[in-house]
Amino acid sequence: MTKLIKFGGSSLANGDQYKKVINIIKKDKTRQIIVLSAPGKRFDDDIKVTDLLIQYAKAVINKQDYKDILNNIIGRYKDIADTYDISDDEFAPIVSIFNNLPKQKYPNNEYLLAAFKAHGERMNAKLMSIVLNHLNIKAKFVDPKELGIVVSKDDPNAADVLKETYENLGHFGYGNEKLVIPGFFGYTKDGNMATFARGGSDITGSIIANGLNIPMYENFTDVSSIYSANPKIINHPAPIKKMTYREMRELAYAGFSVFNDEAIIPAIKGNVTINVKNTNMPDEPGTLIVPEGSFQPEHPITGVSSSKHFSALYLHKYLLNKEVGITLKLLQIFQKYNISYEHMPSGIDDLTVIFNKESLDKITIKSLCKEIQESIKPDKLNWIDDYAIIMVVGEGMRDAATTISDIIDPITNENIPIHMINQGASQISIMIGTREANANQAVKSIYNEFFE
Ligand code: ASP
């Protein structure tokens, strides 16, 4: 069974990390398809190569001197190449590609930025293929163009994969050699490079596993597993051995950042099992993310997380439930301001609309509230700026009759006011709205109830 393995930026940050990666590749012959990020941080205050490339692009756009940034970028690759005594001749193409980026033609500055960024992964995959061959491991660099990864062109720095990619991958043939593929970008129909959103190398792994029909996607990062709660809130939280796709989606939504949440979708569609593993401790089993069908939950809940980037609009109006068209009016106002909402729980006389705070600014909020006041004439309108959502997720939740009270009781025992509870739509999660200041305590109380 062929496996696809993907390594994140911290796994490829320097020569020592490269060595660990190569040991992992060597250890299992079935690890044939290798997807790479750009070199990430070597230490806490370090700068990822992707961010250096963004600086490089901006300096070019603003016609500033970029020599130091460029040397810094090339130096990151050169250090790795030196670990393996790669000759200057062999390394020369990487230097010249980085040097020549400003001379290429781009449709506009957004495309220029995307192409510069993409070269972090592109040159890393090139270098890895050089190093593997140098170590007598037959390997071939494969550009996303050869694979037929075609992406949308609305936003070249946050592109979406297009359907024909899967057809193209279906026709892609390969032999026994290792394929080394850069993550994070594809090509538009016009042949320009465009990247996924930040962290998007995971998406490439998922797309290729789906398109090449590979049942196992090992995603190597710098943690030994996905944990049932954020280790910054809970000391040594329980590791999750196995979870379902939709549990991962719901937890990722509310702050679990180990696996890019968008990235899971192509894997779900292809029924690909994902194994999140640690490059620094590769023998640990990690966390398996699997289809729902065969999954037997061990606990009533799998994880609890909190996310603080929300704000909420609270409306109160007598007989709100009888008034026809009120939500339509609201939605039309949101559309006018080009705002999407996250949730809209409602009662008889009350309605709360929860937004992603990051997409709103003070001026927009002010005029939005004014317009809603005039159009809907609520008895009460409050804007809550420090809203947090606690997400409790578990496939086992449906079978346990007392789960709801086991979740709510520990929060109320701590006197934490609950602003909203939403269970309805998804049977495997309960969403609780609190104030930001109470979010961590709420997570601790729920975690202790189920795991301690
Ligand atoms: N190198 C890109 C980033 O830093 C993509 C990735 O690492 O997944 O966002």
Side-chain angles (χ1 to χ4, degrees), residues 6 8-9 37-38 48 50-51 121 184 197-202:
K6 184 256 162 184
S37 281
K48 292 176 171 191
T50 309
D51 291 301
E121 343 300 276
F184 193 37
R198 289 299 301 268
S201 293
D202 284 342

Side-chain angles (χ1 to χ4, degrees), residues 95-116:
V95 178
S96 89
I97 290 173
F98 275 131
N99 274 323
N100 287 329
L101 282 177
K103 293 180 201 141
Q104 307 299 325
K105 288 242 170 318
Y106 307 99
N108 58 39
N109 286 342
E110 287 301 301
Y111 276 101
L112 179 151
L113 176 64
F116 275 53

Side-chain angles (χ1 to χ4, degrees), residues 194-207:
T195 71
F196 300 122
R198 289 299 301 268
S201 293
D202 284 342
I203 303 180
T204 306
S206 251
I207 293 168

